[in-house]
Amino acid sequence: MSKLIYLDNAATTKVKDEVFEAMKPYFSELYGNPSSIYRFAGEGKKAIEEARRTVAEFIGAKPEEIYFTGGGSESDNWALKATAFAKRDKGKHIITSKIEHHAILHTCEYLEKLGYEITYVNVDENGVLKLDELKAAIREDTILISVMFANNEIGTIEPIKEIGEIAHEHGILFHTDAVQAYGHEHINVDDYNIDLLSASGHKINGPKGIGILYIRNSVKIGSFVHGGAQERGRRAGTHNTPGIIGFAKATEVAKREMDTRHSYESELRDYLIGRVLAEIPYTKLNGHKTDRLSNNANFSFQFIEGESLLIMLDQKEICASSGSACTSGSLDPSHVLLAIGLPHEIAHGSLRLTLSDETTKEDIDYVVDELKKIVERLRSMSPLYEDFVKKGGK
Amino acid sequence: MSQIIEYSDKVMEHFSNPRNVGEIENASGVGTVGNAKCGDIMRIYLDVDENGIIKDCKFKTFGCGAAVATSSMATEMIKGKSVEEALKLTNKAVQEALGGLPAVKVHCSLLAEEAVHAALWDYAQKNHLEIEGLKPPVDDIDETKEFYEMSGEQ
């Protein structure tokens, strides 16, 4: 088998042909700067405003509430830092979760250095935010709640509607990092009481280096990138026209295919989960069993370490990822796996497989067959497994 | 979430075809070092003959690619050597033999050196020998209990 099996779609995705075709003219034909006055640049400008309408409509927002950015991390940084600055007179307390992406967590750490106080709310063993803890954490000086829509590692979908309600009852702004959920789950900013939302192009079969921040009209936060008057003066920098067009096209495709894709992927995901749990002993599924992204499966295999697993899968042309420390350059395994209560060594043996609409049942069968052999091989080399067997574990 | 670190061809070769994987029954010495918390545990078995020569040597490792490769290389380097020679094995020598390790993986080679020393210590203890320069190993394996408690789940 020489075909590459790409099961790391939570890391990034392939740009769809349809998306790429839509972007092409804006590289070498319609390359004019959309901010210029002449008619030649007008095409790009029109296309950008059309793209903005497409994106806005998709999440139930108004076009002027959509700001194009350089990606999900920038959007997260903007949302947090600009809100912190704008609301500094009201208070310096922000609430987030323990399982956020580093774009949120590291921004929070930065804000802590500037004198802000951050409460990191716990999640339960399935990775679902503890709403009672969230409520208890709210203070007079709380200015923002930021909780991700769905987790990038374990796929758990958070109770966003409830969180939004809690935030609004207390007059607190609500931001959600929807990078993993945008284009995969139905999102309506009004229904969910979302004030700020981050999304990224490359997670939805669009290009890299483009994202959006939705900012509700009533939310008054400042510019993050200062310079020109682009994006109504709130995000300077020459428009990334091909990126913006690609983002909108990817949104359009995602919207069109969302329901069929969702059922196709979740069926395949459940087949994968079922086979792995049934055929590989001492394995645990991480994340919520049903309230999870349709393409996400995350396992912990006891007695083995994730990086070795990834290298062996790579040797079989399978692309996957792990929450192992060895894959991140630090000594600690993933903060998400620790937050759901896994002991360190179990977290080290984790594997994330994220499917796409191009993944087939044959791919899954091949992966599970290889995975079984690899896990068995690594366990045969593991002193932990040896001890376990000797103690009569088997 | 993760990326695979760049390894030398030699590291990849030892990872893919590790030498001396396994256990030795009634081994002359066994040493286990590392910490499950940090994601690396190495165990080395020695079969030492009456002349103090390491006739056979096996390992088991829980850890990343570098941990497996350094265990494999370390066992290969001490096999056939005397106990005294084996004691002189340094992590630097293991690293060099593997064509270098990425900076974040250097601790793996240190662990291999420690595992060899721990096995030698066990051998010395069992045979009431004093080997110059040999120090008792630090046992810092933890959290293994939770491991067993979790087993059986799903």
Side-chain angles (χ1 to χ4, degrees):
Chain A
M1 194 138 176
S2 58
K3 179 189 154 197
L4 187 80
I5 298 185
Y6 184 77
L7 294 183
D8 204 14
N9 287 281
T12 196
T13 59
K14 166 178 163 177
V15 174
K16 293 228 178 206
D17 291 343
E18 202 178 332
V19 173
F20 188 40
E21 286 306 319
M23 293 170 67
K24 272 183 185 171
Y26 297 94
F27 284 103
S28 48
E29 292 163 41
L30 302 169
Y31 56 84
N33 189 327
S35 301
S36 301
I37 220 75
Y38 35 78
R39 281 165 299 153
F40 172 59
E43 286 297 324
K45 193 173 180 176
K46 260 195 282 179
I48 287 172
E49 292 321 310
E50 183 55 39
R52 203 184 305 280
R53 273 193 293 278
T54 303
V55 175
E57 200 184 308
F58 182 57
I59 56 170
K62 296 177 192 75
E64 70 270 21
E65 295 174 317
I66 303 297
Y67 296 86
F68 290 106
T69 68
S73 289
E74 184 191 319
S75 299
D76 284 346
N77 270 264
W78 183 6
L80 266 59
K81 291 177 186 168
T83 304
F85 186 75
K87 300 274 172 188
R88 66 192 185 285
D89 291 332
K90 186 200 169 198
K92 291 194 162 189
H93 181 237
I94 293 170
I95 304 173
T96 187
S97 86
K98 280 209 173 136
I99 62 165
E100 296 299 307
H101 188 273
H102 284 128
I104 295 290
L105 293 179
H106 289 169
T107 303
C108 285
E109 285 167 24
Y110 169 78
L111 289 171
E112 279 176 314
K113 281 185 203 149
L114 297 181
Y116 288 83
E117 268 186 82
I118 318 285
T119 302
Y120 302 90
V121 175
N122 284 301
V123 295
D124 66 14
E125 69 277 13
N126 294 318
V128 180
L129 191 86
K130 293 188 171 170
L131 293 174
D132 51 339
E133 275 193 30
L134 171 70
K135 284 182 203 159
I138 293 172
R139 310 190 321 209
E140 274 297 302
D141 60 341
T142 305
I143 51 171
L144 176 70
I145 294 174
S146 177
V147 177
M148 67 200 331
F149 204 105
N151 184 265
N152 51 311
E153 292 187 36
I154 58 174
T156 298
I157 297 169
E158 298 300 332
I160 292 301
K161 198 168 182 176
E162 288 81 348
I163 298 168
E165 274 168 18
I166 294 168
H168 277 222
E169 276 164 23
H170 292 84
I172 299 165
L173 292 180
F174 176 40
H175 167 254
T176 185
D177 171 355
V179 165
Q180 292 291 333
Y182 180 91
H184 293 270
E185 295 293 323
H186 290 279
I187 300 175
N188 182 293
V189 289
D190 287 340
D191 289 351
Y192 289 172
N193 285 318
I194 295 166
D195 295 308
L196 300 137
L197 176 145
S198 308
S200 168
H202 75 105
K203 308 286 191 187
I204 55 161
N205 301 103
K208 294 168 180 60
I210 186 80
I212 58 151
L213 180 65
Y214 155 78
I215 308 176
R216 188 174 285 280
N217 268 338
S218 56
V219 176
K220 306 295 173 209
I221 60 168
S223 172
F224 184 59
V225 178
H226 299 90
Q230 292 91 351
E231 301 296 282
R232 304 168 71 224
R234 271 172 135 173
R235 202 284 186 181
T238 300
H239 281 111
N240 172 3
T241 315
I244 291 169
I245 303 310
F247 186 95
K249 192 71 186 176
T251 299
E252 187 191 311
V253 176
K255 183 183 179 183
R256 190 180 72 213
E257 296 175 354
M258 187 154 55
D259 292 338
T260 44
R261 193 171 166 167
H262 197 281
S263 60
Y264 175 80
E265 286 175 356
S266 52
E267 195 178 315
L268 210 53
R269 172 203 69 192
D270 290 341
Y271 174 69
L272 164 68
I273 292 172
R275 271 204 69 186
V276 168
L277 294 182
E279 297 176 40
I280 306 179
Y282 315 117
T283 300
K284 186 184 178 302
L285 175 72
N286 297 317
H288 198 282
K289 224 171 168 179
T290 49
D291 291 339
R292 70 187 301 138
L293 291 169
S294 59
N295 70 343
N296 173 296
N298 187 309
F299 304 101
S300 283
F301 301 102
Q302 283 189 70
F303 318 115
I304 65 171
E305 193 278 326
E307 190 202 276
S308 291
L309 185 58
L310 292 190
I311 301 174
M312 287 191 176
L313 286 168
D314 187 33
Q315 289 172 340
K316 297 291 175 189
E317 307 293 330
I318 300 164
C319 304
S321 75
S322 167
S324 154
C326 281
T327 58
S328 67
S330 80
L331 280 181
D332 280 325
S334 137
H335 63 286
V336 177
L337 299 176
L338 296 180
I340 60 169
L342 295 192
H344 278 71
E345 62 278 7
I346 308 276
H348 281 297
S350 82
L351 177 71
R352 181 186 71 183
L353 300 171
T354 42
L355 328 181
S356 77
D357 55 344
E358 291 185 12
T359 311
T360 64
K361 188 164 175 286
E362 288 69 38
D363 293 340
I364 298 297
D365 281 325
Y366 170 75
V367 170
V368 177
D369 292 344
E370 291 301 328
L371 191 57
K372 271 166 76 174
K373 287 185 254 176
I374 292 169
V375 170
E376 203 173 298
R377 171 145 186 247
L378 287 171
R379 281 182 179 160
S380 76
M381 292 169 62
S382 167
L384 294 171
Y385 188 62
E386 181 187 311
D387 292 347
F388 176 71
V389 172
K390 279 182 182 161
K391 285 182 183 168
K394 213 183 172 186
Chain B
M1 185 164 159
S2 62
Q3 64 245 29
I4 290 179
I5 288 166
E6 286 283 315
Y7 284 131
S8 71
D9 292 345
K10 196 86 183 160
V11 170
M12 283 308 292
E13 202 267 313
H14 270 262
F15 173 76
S16 305
N17 308 292
R19 330 296 200 254
N20 310 311
V21 178
E23 300 163 45
I24 296 175
E25 273 193 55
N26 304 315
S28 321
V30 186
T32 306
V33 295
N35 186 321
K37 202 171 172 175
C38 301
D40 293 300
I41 295 180
M42 280 183 203
R43 177 171 296 161
I44 286 184
Y45 294 85
L46 300 177
D47 179 12
V48 184
D49 69 9
E50 60 282 7
N51 301 318
I53 302 296
I54 299 168
K55 271 175 25 201
D56 199 8
C57 178
K58 300 266 189 217
F59 83 89
K60 284 211 173 174
T61 290
F62 163 87
C64 61
V68 173
T70 52
S71 317
S72 168
M73 180 56 88
T75 54
E76 210 174 46
M77 289 171 84
I78 61 167
K79 211 166 158 176
K81 299 275 167 62
S82 71
V83 166
E84 288 74 18
E85 284 169 320
L87 187 59
K88 286 183 196 135
L89 179 79
T90 62
N91 74 309
K92 210 165 164 256
V94 175
Q95 265 185 66
E96 277 166 11
L98 284 169
L101 285 173
V104 293
K105 300 290 187 180
V106 168
H107 71 278
C108 295
S109 61
L110 206 62
L111 213 56
E113 178 189 313
E114 285 170 8
V116 170
H117 287 196
L120 289 170
W121 176 261
D122 185 48
Y123 160 76
Q125 290 292 102
K126 279 176 180 163
N127 294 283
H128 311 289
L129 298 173
E130 283 252 350
I131 303 173
E132 210 192 310
L134 187 59
K135 289 186 203 91
V138 187
D139 182 13
D140 62 349
I141 300 163
D142 62 4
E143 287 200 37
T144 38
K145 203 172 145 270
E146 283 169 275
F147 235 103
Y148 304 121
E149 284 168 0
M150 280 203 58
S151 60
E153 265 192 30
Q154 288 175 335

